[in-house]
PDB file of all heavy atoms in Angstrom:
ATOM      1  N   GLY A  81     253.598  39.630  15.812  1.00  0.00           N
ATOM      2  CA  GLY A  81     253.414  40.478  14.634  1.00  0.00           C
ATOM      3  C   GLY A  81     254.467  40.243  13.567  1.00  0.00           C
ATOM      4  O   GLY A  81     254.408  40.831  12.487  1.00  0.00           O
ATOM      5  N   HIS A  82     255.426  39.352  13.854  1.00  0.00           N
ATOM      6  CA  HIS A  82     256.501  39.140  12.877  1.00  0.00           C
ATOM      7  C   HIS A  82     256.013  38.507  11.572  1.00  0.00           C
ATOM      8  O   HIS A  82     256.466  38.874  10.496  1.00  0.00           O
ATOM      9  CB  HIS A  82     257.610  38.267  13.478  1.00  0.00           C
ATOM     10  CG  HIS A  82     258.538  39.023  14.383  1.00  0.00           C
ATOM     11  ND1 HIS A  82     258.227  39.287  15.688  1.00  0.00           N
ATOM     12  CD2 HIS A  82     259.744  39.584  14.159  1.00  0.00           C
ATOM     13  CE1 HIS A  82     259.229  39.977  16.238  1.00  0.00           C
ATOM     14  NE2 HIS A  82     260.155  40.168  15.329  1.00  0.00           N
ATOM     15  N   VAL A  83     255.085  37.523  11.682  1.00  0.00           N
ATOM     16  CA  VAL A  83     254.636  36.850  10.462  1.00  0.00           C
ATOM     17  C   VAL A  83     253.919  37.850   9.553  1.00  0.00           C
ATOM     18  O   VAL A  83     254.113  37.860   8.334  1.00  0.00           O
ATOM     19  CB  VAL A  83     253.716  35.648  10.802  1.00  0.00           C
ATOM     20  CG1 VAL A  83     253.113  35.051   9.540  1.00  0.00           C
ATOM     21  CG2 VAL A  83     254.501  34.586  11.566  1.00  0.00           C
ATOM     22  N   ALA A  84     253.161  38.758  10.152  1.00  0.00           N
ATOM     23  CA  ALA A  84     252.391  39.708   9.336  1.00  0.00           C
ATOM     24  C   ALA A  84     253.214  40.916   8.916  1.00  0.00           C
ATOM     25  O   ALA A  84     253.062  41.415   7.797  1.00  0.00           O
ATOM     26  CB  ALA A  84     251.157  40.158  10.111  1.00  0.00           C
ATOM     27  N   THR A  85     254.097  41.397   9.807  1.00  0.00           N
ATOM     28  CA  THR A  85     254.678  42.730   9.521  1.00  0.00           C
ATOM     29  C   THR A  85     256.203  42.828   9.540  1.00  0.00           C
ATOM     30  O   THR A  85     256.724  43.911   9.328  1.00  0.00           O
ATOM     31  CB  THR A  85     254.164  43.771  10.541  1.00  0.00           C
ATOM     32  OG1 THR A  85     254.638  43.376  11.838  1.00  0.00           O
ATOM     33  CG2 THR A  85     252.657  43.891  10.552  1.00  0.00           C
ATOM     34  N   PHE A  86     256.923  41.721   9.792  1.00  0.00           N
ATOM     35  CA  PHE A  86     258.382  41.854   9.855  1.00  0.00           C
ATOM     36  C   PHE A  86     258.937  41.835   8.435  1.00  0.00           C
ATOM     37  O   PHE A  86     259.413  40.823   7.930  1.00  0.00           O
ATOM     38  CB  PHE A  86     258.990  40.732  10.695  1.00  0.00           C
ATOM     39  CG  PHE A  86     260.441  40.962  11.020  1.00  0.00           C
ATOM     40  CD1 PHE A  86     260.847  42.094  11.690  1.00  0.00           C
ATOM     41  CD2 PHE A  86     261.403  40.036  10.659  1.00  0.00           C
ATOM     42  CE1 PHE A  86     262.180  42.311  11.989  1.00  0.00           C
ATOM     43  CE2 PHE A  86     262.740  40.232  10.957  1.00  0.00           C
ATOM     44  CZ  PHE A  86     263.126  41.382  11.628  1.00  0.00           C
ATOM     45  N   SER A  87     258.812  42.986   7.762  1.00  0.00           N
ATOM     46  CA  SER A  87     259.193  43.008   6.356  1.00  0.00           C
ATOM     47  C   SER A  87     259.893  44.315   6.015  1.00  0.00           C
ATOM     48  O   SER A  87     259.773  45.302   6.733  1.00  0.00           O
ATOM     49  CB  SER A  87     257.956  42.828   5.483  1.00  0.00           C
ATOM     50  OG  SER A  87     256.948  43.697   5.934  1.00  0.00           O
ATOM     51  N   ASP A  88     260.617  44.271   4.921  1.00  0.00           N
ATOM     52  CA  ASP A  88     261.280  45.467   4.401  1.00  0.00           C
ATOM     53  C   ASP A  88     260.705  45.754   3.016  1.00  0.00           C
ATOM     54  O   ASP A  88     260.295  44.831   2.300  1.00  0.00           O
ATOM     55  CB  ASP A  88     262.795  45.224   4.282  1.00  0.00           C
ATOM     56  CG  ASP A  88     263.509  45.399   5.614  1.00  0.00           C
ATOM     57  OD1 ASP A  88     262.990  46.157   6.454  1.00  0.00           O
ATOM     58  OD2 ASP A  88     264.571  44.777   5.803  1.00  0.00           O
ATOM     59  N   PRO A  89     260.704  47.038   2.601  1.00  0.00           N
ATOM     60  CA  PRO A  89     260.216  47.358   1.249  1.00  0.00           C
ATOM     61  C   PRO A  89     261.252  46.944   0.205  1.00  0.00           C
ATOM     62  O   PRO A  89     262.428  47.220   0.359  1.00  0.00           O
ATOM     63  CB  PRO A  89     260.059  48.886   1.305  1.00  0.00           C
ATOM     64  CG  PRO A  89     261.000  49.334   2.372  1.00  0.00           C
ATOM     65  CD  PRO A  89     261.144  48.215   3.345  1.00  0.00           C
ATOM     66  N   LEU A  90     260.777  46.255  -0.834  1.00  0.00           N
ATOM     67  CA  LEU A  90     261.690  45.702  -1.838  1.00  0.00           C
ATOM     68  C   LEU A  90     261.335  46.202  -3.243  1.00  0.00           C
ATOM     69  O   LEU A  90     260.161  46.269  -3.575  1.00  0.00           O
ATOM     70  CB  LEU A  90     261.560  44.174  -1.791  1.00  0.00           C
ATOM     71  CG  LEU A  90     262.230  43.392  -2.897  1.00  0.00           C
ATOM     72  CD1 LEU A  90     263.377  42.596  -2.313  1.00  0.00           C
ATOM     73  CD2 LEU A  90     261.261  42.436  -3.552  1.00  0.00           C
ATOM     74  N   VAL A  91     262.342  46.561  -4.024  1.00  0.00           N
ATOM     75  CA  VAL A  91     262.103  46.848  -5.453  1.00  0.00           C
ATOM     76  C   VAL A  91     263.075  46.042  -6.293  1.00  0.00           C
ATOM     77  O   VAL A  91     264.160  45.702  -5.844  1.00  0.00           O
ATOM     78  CB  VAL A  91     262.292  48.340  -5.834  1.00  0.00           C
ATOM     79  CG1 VAL A  91     261.090  49.176  -5.500  1.00  0.00           C
ATOM     80  CG2 VAL A  91     263.577  48.904  -5.280  1.00  0.00           C
ATOM     81  N   GLU A  92     262.621  45.763  -7.538  1.00  0.00           N
ATOM     82  CA  GLU A  92     263.486  45.001  -8.441  1.00  0.00           C
ATOM     83  C   GLU A  92     263.810  45.865  -9.653  1.00  0.00           C
ATOM     84  O   GLU A  92     262.929  46.538 -10.194  1.00  0.00           O
ATOM     85  CB  GLU A  92     262.775  43.728  -8.888  1.00  0.00           C
ATOM     86  CG  GLU A  92     263.662  42.835  -9.727  1.00  0.00           C
ATOM     87  CD  GLU A  92     262.989  41.500 -10.074  1.00  0.00           C
ATOM     88  OE1 GLU A  92     262.410  40.869  -9.172  1.00  0.00           O
ATOM     89  OE2 GLU A  92     263.057  41.135 -11.259  1.00  0.00           O
ATOM     90  N   CYS A  93     265.077  45.852 -10.076  1.00  0.00           N
ATOM     91  CA  CYS A  93     265.461  46.554 -11.301  1.00  0.00           C
ATOM     92  C   CYS A  93     264.965  45.700 -12.469  1.00  0.00           C
ATOM     93  O   CYS A  93     265.304  44.519 -12.564  1.00  0.00           O
ATOM     94  CB  CYS A  93     266.979  46.718 -11.372  1.00  0.00           C
ATOM     95  SG  CYS A  93     267.536  47.298 -12.976  1.00  0.00           S
ATOM     96  N   LYS A  94     264.139  46.308 -13.342  1.00  0.00           N
ATOM     97  CA  LYS A  94     263.533  45.502 -14.419  1.00  0.00           C
ATOM     98  C   LYS A  94     264.564  45.114 -15.482  1.00  0.00           C
ATOM     99  O   LYS A  94     264.318  44.211 -16.268  1.00  0.00           O
ATOM    100  CB  LYS A  94     262.394  46.279 -15.068  1.00  0.00           C
ATOM    101  CG  LYS A  94     261.147  46.349 -14.183  1.00  0.00           C
ATOM    102  CD  LYS A  94     260.002  46.918 -14.986  1.00  0.00           C
ATOM    103  CE  LYS A  94     258.769  47.108 -14.132  1.00  0.00           C
ATOM    104  NZ  LYS A  94     257.816  48.020 -14.795  1.00  0.00           N
ATOM    105  N   LYS A  95     265.720  45.811 -15.480  1.00  0.00           N
ATOM    106  CA  LYS A  95     266.731  45.484 -16.495  1.00  0.00           C
ATOM    107  C   LYS A  95     267.635  44.324 -16.029  1.00  0.00           C
ATOM    108  O   LYS A  95     267.719  43.296 -16.674  1.00  0.00           O
ATOM    109  CB  LYS A  95     267.568  46.722 -16.813  1.00  0.00           C
ATOM    110  CG  LYS A  95     268.454  46.511 -18.013  1.00  0.00           C
ATOM    111  CD  LYS A  95     269.052  47.799 -18.511  1.00  0.00           C
ATOM    112  CE  LYS A  95     270.211  47.501 -19.457  1.00  0.00           C
ATOM    113  NZ  LYS A  95     271.343  48.359 -19.185  1.00  0.00           N
ATOM    114  N   CYS A  96     268.290  44.499 -14.858  1.00  0.00           N
ATOM    115  CA  CYS A  96     269.249  43.453 -14.451  1.00  0.00           C
ATOM    116  C   CYS A  96     268.649  42.495 -13.407  1.00  0.00           C
ATOM    117  O   CYS A  96     269.293  41.537 -12.999  1.00  0.00           O
ATOM    118  CB  CYS A  96     270.539  44.081 -13.914  1.00  0.00           C
ATOM    119  SG  CYS A  96     270.345  44.891 -12.322  1.00  0.00           S
ATOM    120  N   HIS A  97     267.425  42.767 -12.976  1.00  0.00           N
ATOM    121  CA  HIS A  97     266.689  41.922 -12.012  1.00  0.00           C
ATOM    122  C   HIS A  97     267.322  41.811 -10.633  1.00  0.00           C
ATOM    123  O   HIS A  97     266.983  40.925  -9.860  1.00  0.00           O
ATOM    124  CB  HIS A  97     266.409  40.517 -12.608  1.00  0.00           C
ATOM    125  CG  HIS A  97     265.612  40.595 -13.866  1.00  0.00           C
ATOM    126  ND1 HIS A  97     264.285  40.949 -13.880  1.00  0.00           N
ATOM    127  CD2 HIS A  97     265.985  40.437 -15.157  1.00  0.00           C
ATOM    128  CE1 HIS A  97     263.860  40.995 -15.136  1.00  0.00           C
ATOM    129  NE2 HIS A  97     264.884  40.690 -15.929  1.00  0.00           N
ATOM    130  N   GLU A  98     268.256  42.719 -10.328  1.00  0.00           N
ATOM    131  CA  GLU A  98     268.772  42.782  -8.941  1.00  0.00           C
ATOM    132  C   GLU A  98     267.684  43.360  -8.057  1.00  0.00           C
ATOM    133  O   GLU A  98     266.898  44.201  -8.486  1.00  0.00           O
ATOM    134  CB  GLU A  98     270.006  43.693  -8.889  1.00  0.00           C
ATOM    135  CG  GLU A  98     271.256  42.977  -9.302  1.00  0.00           C
ATOM    136  CD  GLU A  98     272.176  42.633  -8.138  1.00  0.00           C
ATOM    137  OE1 GLU A  98     271.769  42.720  -6.981  1.00  0.00           O
ATOM    138  OE2 GLU A  98     273.321  42.263  -8.433  1.00  0.00           O
ATOM    139  N   ARG A  99     267.669  42.918  -6.781  1.00  0.00           N
ATOM    140  CA  ARG A  99     266.661  43.427  -5.850  1.00  0.00           C
ATOM    141  C   ARG A  99     267.320  44.264  -4.759  1.00  0.00           C
ATOM    142  O   ARG A  99     268.404  43.934  -4.308  1.00  0.00           O
ATOM    143  CB  ARG A  99     265.903  42.251  -5.226  1.00  0.00           C
ATOM    144  CG  ARG A  99     265.079  41.554  -6.264  1.00  0.00           C
ATOM    145  CD  ARG A  99     264.462  40.287  -5.755  1.00  0.00           C
ATOM    146  NE  ARG A  99     263.458  39.847  -6.700  1.00  0.00           N
ATOM    147  CZ  ARG A  99     262.519  38.977  -6.427  1.00  0.00           C
ATOM    148  NH1 ARG A  99     262.442  38.447  -5.214  1.00  0.00           N
ATOM    149  NH2 ARG A  99     261.644  38.628  -7.338  1.00  0.00           N
ATOM    150  N   PHE A 100     266.651  45.300  -4.340  1.00  0.00           N
ATOM    151  CA  PHE A 100     267.200  46.224  -3.335  1.00  0.00           C
ATOM    152  C   PHE A 100     266.134  46.611  -2.328  1.00  0.00           C
ATOM    153  O   PHE A 100     264.935  46.548  -2.624  1.00  0.00           O
ATOM    154  CB  PHE A 100     267.719  47.506  -4.006  1.00  0.00           C
ATOM    155  CG  PHE A 100     268.793  47.266  -5.008  1.00  0.00           C
ATOM    156  CD1 PHE A 100     268.480  47.098  -6.356  1.00  0.00           C
ATOM    157  CD2 PHE A 100     270.122  47.182  -4.613  1.00  0.00           C
ATOM    158  CE1 PHE A 100     269.481  46.851  -7.286  1.00  0.00           C
ATOM    159  CE2 PHE A 100     271.120  46.946  -5.539  1.00  0.00           C
ATOM    160  CZ  PHE A 100     270.804  46.780  -6.874  1.00  0.00           C
ATOM    161  N   ARG A 101     266.607  47.040  -1.143  1.00  0.00           N
ATOM    162  CA  ARG A 101     265.696  47.626  -0.168  1.00  0.00           C
ATOM    163  C   ARG A 101     265.407  49.047  -0.600  1.00  0.00           C
ATOM    164  O   ARG A 101     266.339  49.841  -0.759  1.00  0.00           O
ATOM    165  CB  ARG A 101     266.348  47.615   1.219  1.00  0.00           C
ATOM    166  CG  ARG A 101     265.773  46.560   2.125  1.00  0.00           C
ATOM    167  CD  ARG A 101     266.503  46.498   3.413  1.00  0.00           C
ATOM    168  NE  ARG A 101     266.072  47.554   4.326  1.00  0.00           N
ATOM    169  CZ  ARG A 101     266.391  47.580   5.614  1.00  0.00           C
ATOM    170  NH1 ARG A 101     267.114  46.611   6.131  1.00  0.00           N
ATOM    171  NH2 ARG A 101     265.971  48.545   6.394  1.00  0.00           N
ATOM    172  N   THR A 102     264.128  49.376  -0.778  1.00  0.00           N
ATOM    173  CA  THR A 102     263.753  50.707  -1.260  1.00  0.00           C
ATOM    174  C   THR A 102     264.328  51.794  -0.353  1.00  0.00           C
ATOM    175  O   THR A 102     264.843  52.802  -0.835  1.00  0.00           O
ATOM    176  CB  THR A 102     262.213  50.840  -1.296  1.00  0.00           C
ATOM    177  OG1 THR A 102     261.661  49.598  -1.689  1.00  0.00           O
ATOM    178  CG2 THR A 102     261.770  51.929  -2.251  1.00  0.00           C
ATOM    179  N   ASP A 103     264.265  51.553   0.981  1.00  0.00           N
ATOM    180  CA  ASP A 103     264.721  52.598   1.906  1.00  0.00           C
ATOM    181  C   ASP A 103     266.238  52.758   1.899  1.00  0.00           C
ATOM    182  O   ASP A 103     266.758  53.718   2.444  1.00  0.00           O
ATOM    183  CB  ASP A 103     264.199  52.332   3.332  1.00  0.00           C
ATOM    184  CG  ASP A 103     264.621  50.975   3.848  1.00  0.00           C
ATOM    185  OD1 ASP A 103     264.756  50.040   3.040  1.00  0.00           O
ATOM    186  OD2 ASP A 103     264.822  50.830   5.069  1.00  0.00           O
ATOM    187  N   HIS A 104     266.960  51.790   1.299  1.00  0.00           N
ATOM    188  CA  HIS A 104     268.406  51.959   1.155  1.00  0.00           C
ATOM    189  C   HIS A 104     268.753  52.714  -0.134  1.00  0.00           C
ATOM    190  O   HIS A 104     269.844  53.244  -0.279  1.00  0.00           O
ATOM    191  CB  HIS A 104     269.127  50.605   1.138  1.00  0.00           C
ATOM    192  CG  HIS A 104     269.219  49.989   2.506  1.00  0.00           C
ATOM    193  ND1 HIS A 104     269.766  48.756   2.733  1.00  0.00           N
ATOM    194  CD2 HIS A 104     268.816  50.448   3.719  1.00  0.00           C
ATOM    195  CE1 HIS A 104     269.717  48.467   4.026  1.00  0.00           C
ATOM    196  NE2 HIS A 104     269.133  49.481   4.646  1.00  0.00           N
TER     197      HIS A 104
END
Side-chain angles (χ1 to χ4, degrees):
H82 281 82
V83 173
T85 64
F86 191 58
S87 48
D88 279 333
L90 170 113
V91 279
E92 185 175 314
C93 170
K94 286 190 184 163
K95 190 168 165 224
C96 70
H97 301 289
E98 278 255 13
R99 293 172 167 197
F100 300 93
R101 255 175 80 168
T102 323
D103 57 328
H104 285 177

